[in-house]
Amino acid sequence: MAAPTPDDVVDVHRSFTVQQRSFRGYGPLAVLGVMLVVMALFAPTLAPESVASTASQGFAPQGESFFDPDATTTTVATDDAESGEADPAVTDGAPAPAGPVAADGQGNGVAPVAGVQACPDRAEQIPGDEYSPPCVAWGGGNNGGATAKGVTGDKIRVSYRVLGGEKGFQQTLAELAGASLSDTPQTIQSTITVFAEYFSTRMEFYGRSMEIVFYDGQGSNTNELLGKGRDKAEADAVKVAEELGTFADLSATSEPYADALADRGVIGFGTPYLSRQWHEERAPFAWSLATDGTRVSELASEYANKKLHGKTAVNAGGDLKTKTRKFATIAPENSWYQESVNNSRRITQEAGNDPGENVKYQLDLATMSSQANNIIPKLKNQGVTTVVCGCDPVLPVFLSGVANRESYYPEFIIAGTALTDADIVGQLWDQNFAEHAFGISSLEPFVPPTQTIAYEAFKSVRPNEEPAFSVDLIYYQMYMLAIGIQGAGPNLTPQSLSDGMFNYPQKNGTVGLWKFGPGDRTAANDVREIYWDRNAISPYNGKQGTYMPHTKSQRYEFGQIPAGDTLRPPS
């Protein structure tokens, strides 16, 4: 395919106002909120045939999945693999500041890739886009052909596992919130189709385009998040690797499936808050928009150690606000999430503080109501003043209702996981409980859903259609994959994709600070302080209830959170 021209990239951003770009808004379910159940349970009721983008002129990622998983039928497009030899040519010289690197296994940018140069006409691949990589210009010619499994001279095959019989959280939340956009099989299909074309024609893929391959999976994200169904997850990974022969998979939203893909040499995107060590042990095959669980635990612990421990619970309700803080953490019982909880407890104890009780729960929607009925009385009887939520977005709905019934209003600390820091979710909680919520989030403030960059990008390709409710989530997760493909250079392999990601210069935007390297294979590396205001109007949907910034414009990486009190303004 032809390399993108300046006209290709500029036209889309003519419709992005300066206010939209600087405010860095997003649709709240595009958050890091990929987590757990939410990330896991989206798949189309009617899957499209395979989405293969063309070389037509078109534009150019919270862990997760983009669909509503009631899928019943799926078709897979198959192509005969093109033969070709990898192009190993590398020239000597200084590192190229703008682009792909030779694969040295460390992502050190040891030498520029032959035939790939910095663009002479612009610095950014997509001018005006907050996460745009540096622009590269490829002279064309032989791209090496079949450089890796799932890669041919003109295609990059990317799979998505479609699962049936599981209720889609994204669509459910959209309906509960009365969202203006919806997740239906048609909108999901259209959105994926558009962004496959969008990234293929606006980023430099060196003559290739994305081909999305949907297939009916045997597994169940619900079971896999409960620690079950590993055999079926592995069977699905075998199908992907051996039968479909794809390069990457966009539905690696459970530990068993992501692990099985990595074992078989398929790059998985969407890993749900798994630890830093987990990702490194499976490098270069595991990536995600959702911050790794180790970084989440580090930031949450630092925040609590510097701002909360040893002080009065001034943001609680009733008599609790006069008591010295007593902590409890709520998190899923899965071993891979408890690994991060244990890391947080270790950091807290090393600082000389008591992390309090570790409350475990099952990621089982059918029992969340009864689990909440057991958790809240226990916390109340123990005199817990401050609850750290490392949880999914649904459990707090039940917790808040039970707590209000019990007249129990502890401080509810947001750790930035799984939509718990999104207006559209906080609005579903009992507001007598929600007004005691505050904490940290990687996300920037909201704008209406039709004013996000992802929405505008979709409309630039399909001006007469509307995208899915999850358009932002789809956009940013696929953006990560696109960055890796461009950064890899013509010789696309899992290792060169990793090297390209490592060579990406750090950028800050709507979903936090992006930078990648050894030990950092997930997005969002910084946070801001937030608190819930039940009376303020959300700019996202015009309803009461929104997260407000505690300190305007201040963002912190690990080690940078300042000491001091956290006294949220009264609602």
Side-chain angles (χ1 to χ4, degrees):
M1 57 170 265
T5 67
D7 290 339
D8 289 331
V9 287
V10 172
D11 59 358
V12 175
H13 287 283
R14 287 176 181 153
S15 62
F16 297 165
T17 66
V18 173
Q19 181 181 14
Q20 286 170 358
R21 293 196 297 269
S22 62
F23 198 51
R24 297 184 294 191
Y26 61 96
L29 290 186
V31 281
L32 277 198
V34 247
M35 140 136 205
L36 316 169
V37 236
V38 179
M39 295 189 324
L41 302 181
F42 319 142
T45 301
L46 295 174
E49 293 188 1
S50 139
V51 180
S53 67
T54 67
S56 62
Q57 293 182 350
F59 178 34
Q62 247 238 126
E64 327 101 66
S65 186
F66 311 144
F67 310 100
D68 198 305
D70 296 325
T72 55
T73 60
T74 325
T75 57
V76 179
T78 58
D79 290 314
D80 293 331
E82 296 185 10
S83 61
E85 296 180 359
D87 184 0
V90 177
T91 60
D92 295 329
V101 297
D104 71 338
Q106 299 298 319
N108 291 322
V110 295
V113 173
V116 181
Q117 306 293 331
C119 294
D121 57 343
R122 64 189 188 274
E124 296 178 332
Q125 184 70 27
I126 307 169
D129 188 287
E130 57 195 2
Y131 289 117
S132 175
C135 185
V136 296
W138 179 57
N142 179 22
N143 60 10
T147 58
K149 179 172 59 182
V151 178
T152 68
D154 63 355
K155 291 288 193 300
I156 305 163
R157 289 170 64 82
V158 180
S159 54
Y160 186 86
R161 182 172 67 151
V162 178
L163 304 175
E166 296 180 336
K167 186 175 177 62
F169 270 66
Q170 193 103 334
Q171 184 170 353
T172 300
L173 288 173
E175 292 171 353
L176 287 172
S180 58
L181 302 177
S182 63
D183 273 352
T184 67
Q186 292 75 26
T187 60
I188 292 294
Q189 177 178 342
S190 175
T191 304
I192 294 296
T193 303
V194 165
F195 286 144
E197 175 183 342
Y198 176 85
F199 289 117
S200 296
T201 56
R202 297 297 176 165
M203 301 287 275
E204 180 56 80
F205 286 177
Y206 312 99
R208 302 182 177 100
S209 60
M210 283 190 198
E211 178 187 30
I212 310 298
V213 181
F214 295 90
Y215 77 97
D216 288 316
Q218 299 180 33
S220 162
N221 265 314
T222 300
N223 288 338
E224 290 161 23
L225 286 169
L226 289 170
K228 306 173 183 177
R230 188 171 293 272
D231 57 337
K232 292 183 178 180
E234 291 180 350
D236 288 341
V238 169
K239 181 180 180 71
V240 166
E242 299 180 5
E243 181 179 333
L244 303 182
T246 61
F247 177 71
D249 187 284
L250 288 169
S251 55
T253 56
S254 76
E255 192 278 340
Y257 186 52
D259 183 47
L261 288 171
D263 281 348
R264 289 157 181 82
V266 178
I267 302 172
F269 277 83
T271 51
Y273 295 102
L274 304 178
S275 73
R276 183 176 302 140
Q277 180 179 348
W278 189 97
H279 286 89
E280 288 306 300
E281 289 175 348
R282 292 156 182 82
F285 300 107
W287 303 85
S288 186
L289 181 63
T291 309
D292 73 63
T294 306
R295 179 50 48 87
V296 171
S297 65
E298 289 170 344
L299 288 165
S301 300
E302 180 182 10
Y303 176 76
N305 284 332
K306 290 183 175 179
K307 297 279 191 179
L308 304 176
H309 279 283
K311 300 175 183 178
T312 304
V314 292
N315 300 316
D319 292 341
L320 293 178
K321 71 169 104 178
T322 66
K323 300 182 182 300
T324 300
R325 288 188 172 106
K326 182 176 181 180
F327 286 80
T329 298
I330 300 178
E333 66 179 4
N334 310 60
S335 60
W336 47 87
Y337 296 127
Q338 287 299 310
E339 181 180 345
S340 295
V341 172
N342 291 335
N343 185 56
S344 176
R345 295 178 69 83
R346 177 187 59 78
I347 295 171
T348 302
Q349 290 167 342
E350 288 178 352
N353 296 315
D354 181 4
E357 174 137 8
N358 177 19
V359 179
K360 303 176 184 180
Y361 76 98
Q362 281 193 340
L363 284 170
D364 183 357
L365 291 174
T367 65
M368 280 190 178
S369 177
S370 61
Q371 290 185 80
N373 280 322
N374 292 326
I375 292 171
I376 289 298
K378 180 179 180 180
L379 297 179
K380 182 179 180 180
N381 290 337
Q382 292 179 347
V384 171
T385 67
T386 308
V387 178
V388 180
C389 175
C391 45
D392 71 275
V394 177
L395 181 67
V397 176
F398 296 107
L399 292 175
S400 68
V402 177
N404 186 57
R405 188 182 68 211
E406 295 280 335
S407 298
Y408 172 58
Y409 304 110
E411 296 175 322
F412 197 66
I413 309 303
I414 303 300
T417 59
L419 312 180
T420 53
D421 50 354
D423 286 4
I424 200 169
V425 171
Q427 290 169 357
L428 299 176
W429 301 350
D430 182 278
Q431 294 303 291
N432 292 329
F433 179 89
E435 67 179 359
H436 304 287
F438 63 98
I440 55 176
S441 170
S442 293
L443 306 177
E444 283 291 295
F446 299 96
V447 298
T450 57
Q451 294 181 17
T452 70
I453 287 180
Y455 181 88
E456 293 285 348
F458 177 92
K459 297 291 279 187
S460 73
V461 181
R462 297 286 189 275
N464 298 321
E465 298 178 18
E466 291 297 313
F469 180 56
S470 49
V471 57
D472 300 84
L473 179 59
I474 296 171
Y475 176 76
Y476 287 109
Q477 186 74 77
M478 290 184 72
Y479 206 155
M480 284 183 64
L481 174 57
I483 287 170
I485 294 172
Q486 173 166 310
N491 185 26
L492 179 59
T493 68
Q495 186 60 60
S496 68
L497 181 142
S498 179
D499 291 337
M501 294 289 280
F502 289 3
N503 203 41
Y504 173 78
Q506 69 180 45
K507 297 287 186 78
N508 213 321
T510 299
V511 288
L513 176 65
W514 284 17
K515 60 180 181 179
F516 308 99
D520 189 355
R521 299 174 189 275
T522 63
N525 287 271
D526 64 346
V527 293
R528 65 188 181 110
E529 289 189 76
I530 57 172
Y531 68 92
W532 183 257
D533 188 332
R534 66 183 296 178
N535 296 316
I537 301 301
S538 170
Y540 172 73
N541 58 9
K543 295 182 179 181
Q544 279 192 323
T546 187
Y547 279 107
M548 302 288 288
H550 180 0
T551 307
K552 188 175 181 180
S553 301
Q554 293 296 308
R555 298 187 67 89
Y556 311 104
E557 293 184 64
F558 179 59
Q560 297 177 350
I561 297 176
D565 294 328
T566 297
L567 178 61
R568 50 160 291 159
S571 297

